[in-house]
Amino acid sequence: MSRRRHKEMQISEGELRSMTGDLEEVHQASLAPLGNAVAEWVDLNRSTTRRRFLLGAAATGAGAVLVACGDEKKTVRPTTETTVGATGSLSGDLRIAALAASLENLAIGTYQAALDATAANKLGGVPPAVVTFVETAKRHHGEHAAAWNAILTSAGKTRVTEPDQAIKGQIDGAFAQVRDFAGLARLALGLENVAAATYLDGIGVIQNNQALKTAASIHPVELQHAAILNFVLGNYPVPDAFAKTEGARPPTDYPG
Amino acid sequence: MSLDERALHELLVESEDLHSDAMRTTRESLRDLVALGAGALAAGGLGRAVLRFFDTPAFAKESPDIQIMQTAASIENLAVSTYDAALGLPFMAGVPVLVKTFMMKTKDQHAEHGRAFNATATRLGGAAQNGPDPELKKVVDAKLPTLKAPGDVVDLAITLETGAAQTYVANTAALNDVDARKVVASVMGVEAQHISILNAVQALLGTPDLLTLPPPASRLPAPAGSVGFPDSFLKTEQARPGDEGAIK
């Protein structure tokens, strides 16, 4: 097209739409890498401390705004894809975040009960390494719960402080039968495997990039807990070449 | 439909100006962030991210997903050959049976991972990567001649497993193809488990009688309960670039 010619141009509406589409694609193609760069910055800032994570979560909001007009098939997924139902109930990624927080809370409560039972000498002699494991795993789960709750609160939702009610009764019943550290390790192994499976399952459906990164950074740690528990129990510590989703809790565990 | 070409041209120029303004403003904001955050960030992290963006053409030359899967396969290929080489070292004959069994099975698991990644790469239309990650191979090649004891081997294995696990965590959020994402995600936790056990082995190599299944739990030192998982979130600072092992 020449700048010097200013006469009427014959063009079909379809051609114009196509040209406009091409322009839009160019625009979107340049935005997606930008969004990725911003998301990477957010990820770099989200380190192991809760303070840093909260800073990262706050920055995600800005990143999401930047990419909100991007192609939804691209890597960076806008926060707006995390939906809240018409009634104000949680759905989509936020419901998965709530489920994750509730599972983490269940683990925290169970490990605390184990520490209390150990202190009360109700489990016989609990090896020091097992006590260290329980204390460390409990702290990890606390940080995981905080991470999920940061996502919820950054979306204007309430923190989840209760354990997963769908399986709490089952876990409590199993804990009541625990008589020694081996029984405790078996129960803990079940909890860790359920958490890991739930995260892996969630990774297949989560849309929000920050939630996806959070799940991806937690899932391996739950499996690390499981590996050490398997070792202590005398099982081969890395039994599967690929992590499984069997036993994953469904988002419906958390009331929508 | 009849249009005034001049009006259309002006609209297009205006659109381009708007786009350029938006990009320039964002660049400036990011540069400000670089300046503000330089002290707190991991060395060069933001700089690398931003520079990579600015160096990235609007249209990538080929599918990033395929490159990521090829790189993942290349990491696995290197892991297989490294464990193979390490297991053949004379001093490894004396390690506890559990350690030797673990390394052999871990090698097999890496081979399975490599096949899964290559199957995904070919499903996406790319070629299978049967070679090693070139950058990590330099690390391995430099280390192999210096390995003098089982602890050295474990250190090298931890380096490789950490690179693999962190790369896959990063890949999980970077992949566009959901099935590819699921494959990578199903492997990252397994590599993390390898790290856990290698950390435990490293801590217990001095007391080989504790490296049995099951171990004498009451004799395990207290730190053994947490040595396998030093971080509550798996990091990505040692993740390999997604195109590092791609077929050129």
Side-chain angles (χ1 to χ4, degrees), chain A:
Chain A
M1 184 166 57
S2 166
R3 284 173 174 271
R4 291 183 296 274
R5 297 172 60 210
H6 301 311
K7 64 182 180 182
E8 279 197 345
M9 177 174 66
Q10 294 302 314
I11 185 171
S12 72
E13 188 170 349
E15 287 171 330
L16 179 60
R17 285 184 189 282
S18 175
M19 290 169 63
T20 307
D22 289 346
L23 188 64
E24 174 70 7
E25 281 185 20
V26 171
H27 175 67
Q28 299 297 355
S30 60
L31 279 180
L34 172 61
N36 289 343
V38 172
E40 186 171 348
W41 175 78
V42 171
D43 190 48
L44 282 165
N45 271 282
R46 185 174 56 78
S47 186
T48 52
T49 68
R50 182 168 184 270
R51 179 177 172 274
R52 279 192 171 188
F53 175 80
L54 291 171
L55 286 171
T60 307
V65 170
L66 275 173
V67 300
C69 54
D71 184 344
E72 66 182 13
K73 295 191 292 292
K74 299 292 181 187
T75 301
V76 177
R77 299 151 185 95
T79 303
T80 49
E81 287 182 14
T82 300
T83 57
V84 178
T87 61
S89 59
L90 297 176
S91 66
D93 292 350
L94 289 180
R95 196 168 186 184
I96 292 174
L99 165 69
S102 73
L103 278 175
E104 299 292 351
N105 292 336
L106 181 62
I108 295 165
T110 304
Y111 282 128
Q112 184 58 55
L115 291 171
D116 293 343
T118 300
N121 203 27
K122 292 180 179 175
L123 301 179
V126 177
V130 174
V131 174
T132 301
F133 172 90
V134 172
E135 290 171 341
T136 308
K138 174 175 172 276
R139 177 172 55 78
H140 283 182
H141 289 299
E143 292 180 31
H144 299 166
W148 289 113
N149 276 324
I151 286 176
L152 288 167
T153 54
S154 70
K157 299 297 152 188
T158 307
R159 295 171 69 246
V160 173
T161 56
E162 295 298 314
D164 185 329
Q165 296 298 325
I167 56 172
K168 184 177 186 302
Q170 184 183 342
I171 298 300
D172 287 349
F175 184 79
Q177 303 300 314
V178 169
R179 296 288 178 264
D180 54 19
F181 82 87
L184 171 63
R186 281 191 291 273
L187 178 61
L189 179 61
L191 273 176
E192 299 290 356
N193 280 333
V194 165
T198 303
Y199 286 127
L200 185 59
D201 201 39
I203 284 168
V205 296
I206 289 172
Q207 296 293 304
N208 177 272
N209 216 44
Q210 186 62 21
L212 190 56
K213 288 183 175 183
T214 301
S217 67
I218 294 175
H219 161 81
V221 176
E222 315 298 44
L223 279 184
Q224 288 184 320
H225 296 164
I228 296 299
L229 287 166
N230 268 321
F231 172 57
V232 168
L233 286 166
N235 304 326
Y236 188 76
V238 191
D240 302 306
F242 298 91
K244 298 174 177 175
T245 57
E246 279 86 353
R249 299 307 307 169
T252 50
D253 270 13
Y254 191 82

Side-chain angles (χ1 to χ4, degrees), chain B residues 24-35:
Chain B
R24 185 171 56 250
T25 304
T26 308
R27 285 190 184 100
E28 287 165 358
S29 299
L30 281 171
R31 283 180 180 131
D32 288 345
L33 283 172
V34 173

